[in-house]
Amino acid sequence: RGRLVAFTVGSSCEDSRAVVFRRGEQPRTLADAPSRVVGWLDASTVLVASDGCEGASNLTAVDVIQDATVPLVDGVDIAAARTPLLGYVPPLPQHIEEEVGSGVG
């Protein structure tokens, strides 16, 4: 609805910070350590990755309305936060579909 915006600020991983902005208020950080916004879990909860400059990250759910932080998992690859779209796999373009099994590629 445009009331909340989450983003990452900083010029490098070491000084990056996950931030949330609400219209009419100053931006506020979502984690003390180097962090970045991964995405939204729902309308008020931001998924934040922290301490991942040299490898694995710690994932935290931050409810920006309730000011509640819930640690989810430590030491994971950021790709662990991605989920399939309800099992949806987009169809291959027609020209690729025709080449499957023909030995091309």
Side-chain angles (χ1 to χ4, degrees), residues 38 60 101:
V38 177
T60 304

Side-chain angles (χ1 to χ4, degrees), residues 50-90:
S50 60
D51 296 329
C53 290
E54 298 297 322
S57 296
N58 303 326
L59 297 178
T60 304
V62 181
D63 185 318
V64 298
I65 303 297
Q66 302 292 326
D67 288 325
T69 300
V70 178
L72 299 175
V73 64
D74 290 341
V76 296
D77 186 287
I78 196 63
R82 296 184 181 97
T83 59
L85 298 173
L86 302 173
Y88 173 74
V89 177

Side-chain angles (χ1 to χ4, degrees), residues 7-9 12-19 29-39 46-62 69-81:
F7 51 94
T8 304
V9 297
S12 69
C13 183
E14 290 79 19
D15 75 352
S16 67
R17 292 293 182 267
V19 175
T29 58
L30 299 175
D32 295 328
S35 57
R36 63 192 181 279
V37 170
V38 177
V46 180
L47 182 62
V48 175
S50 60
D51 296 329
C53 290
E54 298 297 322
S57 296
N58 303 326
L59 297 178
T60 304
V62 181
T69 300
V70 178
L72 299 175
V73 64
D74 290 341
V76 296
D77 186 287
I78 196 63

